[in-house]
Amino acid sequence: MDRALRAALYDDTDAALDAGASLLAADPAADGELTRRGQEFVAAAWRRGWQPADVVRLVRRRLDDTHVHLVSALIRAEAGERPAPSPRWAAQLEELDPEPPRLADRFSHATAVLELYRLLLRLPALEPLDQARPSAAPRQPESRMLTRIRALLAKAEATGYPEEAEALSAKAQELMARHSIDEALLAARTHTGDVPGACRIGVDPPYETAKAVLLDAVAAANRCRAVWHDALGFSTVVGFEPDLEAVELLYTSLLVQATTALTKAEAAQRKGGRKRTKTFRQSFLAAYAHRIGDRLRAAAEGAEGEVVGGEGELLPVLAARDVAVADRMEEMFPDTVTTRLRGVSDAAGWEQGAAAADRAQVTGRPRLP
């Protein structure tokens, strides 16, 4: 067993992988120990700052569905019966692929397991997300407000009628904004000692740079900060919990809207005799992200001024939260660099992407009656 693992995991060649898989396939008695080692590798990933969704995302990005089934089973087994360390962690465990690993011949199975273990062993250290803070305590069941927001956005994404989608999105935005402001005021009035947290949101291919720009715009409008990890396929978003929830919901919804708009724009291009091009799609999504960012910033500034008039204590509360988010960001990521958005050279793609962003329903933080 040890010989097989050393040969396959620490000698990064195909020959070593085949040799290790052959030894394991020939020894059914080693299966239990192989699984135990896999759970150890998963536990080591947690110590390096990874979370279940991060590991599954990277495995899906680098390997294939067979490996996703394998790592999901390992994560569930490693979690056992002990409580999850955070509410987000618990939610990620619930979202694991429920399908068991697909059985194959012993050699193919052993090969897939060793390929997965190679990846787990080489995971880099990440910035830890969870802090010991009141907001990291067991989360209460999702509020009726968030349940309504999710339902509205789901309907907006599913409807085939643009006017209905805009109305549903607008209502969701109103509820989302009110929820965030109410949570900020409640934390200030009750002196709960709430501090910023962080989460990771997947930024999937293709056109990851444009999608990362869109996520950054959504994060900034919701008093959060985002750092994109290109090689690992996600952005880390820093902010207070209600705002992190808003970013996740809004980014997902806008990405769906952008993808739908892009599909329609491409169909119109084909009718006009123009072929689909990568440059058109990249330019479309880049313009969409840029224009949405402008609209979000303007809406946030206008709505904040309106709300401050009715809640005299709100402005210093929000200012203090901005400082806290900036400090946490600097603590987690003292060294960041900017990146340049490349491949944006199609004028038609840019114009249609900007127009689609103008049609997307985005509102700021208005008060509810």
Side-chain angles (χ1 to χ4, degrees), residues 125-330:
L126 297 179
E127 300 78 11
L129 299 184
D130 296 315
Q131 289 185 327
R133 61 186 192 277
S135 60
R139 185 186 294 176
Q140 298 298 318
E142 185 171 277
S143 68
R144 293 177 60 186
M145 180 78 80
L146 283 178
T147 300
R148 289 181 63 191
I149 290 171
R150 291 183 188 278
L152 287 168
L153 289 176
K155 290 180 180 179
E157 294 157 15
T159 182
Y161 300 97
E163 296 81 5
E164 182 183 9
E166 289 180 4
L168 291 166
S169 297
K171 184 62 178 177
Q173 290 303 303
E174 289 180 8
L175 297 178
M176 190 182 301
R178 185 68 256 174
H179 177 66
S180 177
I181 288 177
D182 287 347
E183 289 290 325
L185 288 172
L186 178 63
R189 290 167 180 169
T190 57
H191 306 288
T192 59
D194 195 19
V195 297
C199 68
R200 298 186 183 110
I201 299 177
V203 180
D204 299 317
Y207 315 115
E208 299 97 318
T209 306
K211 293 176 182 177
V213 171
L214 175 61
L215 177 53
D216 183 77
V218 173
N222 285 277
R223 299 186 172 277
C224 297
R225 305 281 290 276
V227 174
W228 180 36
H229 307 254
D230 183 9
L232 300 178
F234 61 76
S235 284
T236 300
V237 183
V238 181
F240 286 86
E241 186 61 31
D243 300 323
L244 294 176
E245 292 174 335
V247 170
E248 290 181 290
L249 289 172
L250 181 56
Y251 170 69
T252 301
S253 181
L254 288 175
L255 193 57
V256 170
Q257 293 185 50
T259 302
T260 301
L262 175 57
T263 300
K264 292 180 179 178
E266 287 192 310
Q269 290 285 301
R270 288 195 297 272
K271 286 184 179 179
R274 176 174 175 173
K275 295 181 180 179
R276 297 169 56 188
T277 67
K278 179 179 179 180
T279 303
F280 176 86
R281 292 188 289 268
Q282 176 82 349
S283 299
F284 182 101
L285 292 174
Y288 185 94
H290 179 77
R291 181 59 181 147
I292 282 291
D294 289 343
R295 293 189 62 199
L296 285 172
R297 283 190 295 273
E301 291 170 1
E304 181 182 307
E306 179 182 339
V307 174
V308 167
E311 298 281 1
E313 63 186 301
L314 181 60
L315 189 58
V317 168
L318 295 181
R321 288 167 86 88
D322 286 344
V323 171
V325 170
D327 289 346
R328 179 77 199 277
M329 178 78 168
E330 180 64 24

Side-chain angles (χ1 to χ4, degrees), residues 47-59:
R47 292 192 294 273
R48 293 199 292 274
W50 290 72
Q51 295 195 353
D54 306 323
V55 172
V56 171
R57 185 187 303 114
L58 187 67
V59 170

Side-chain angles (χ1 to χ4, degrees), residues 13-30:
T13 64
D14 291 341
L17 182 70
D18 290 344
S22 296
L23 290 171
L24 292 172
D27 184 11

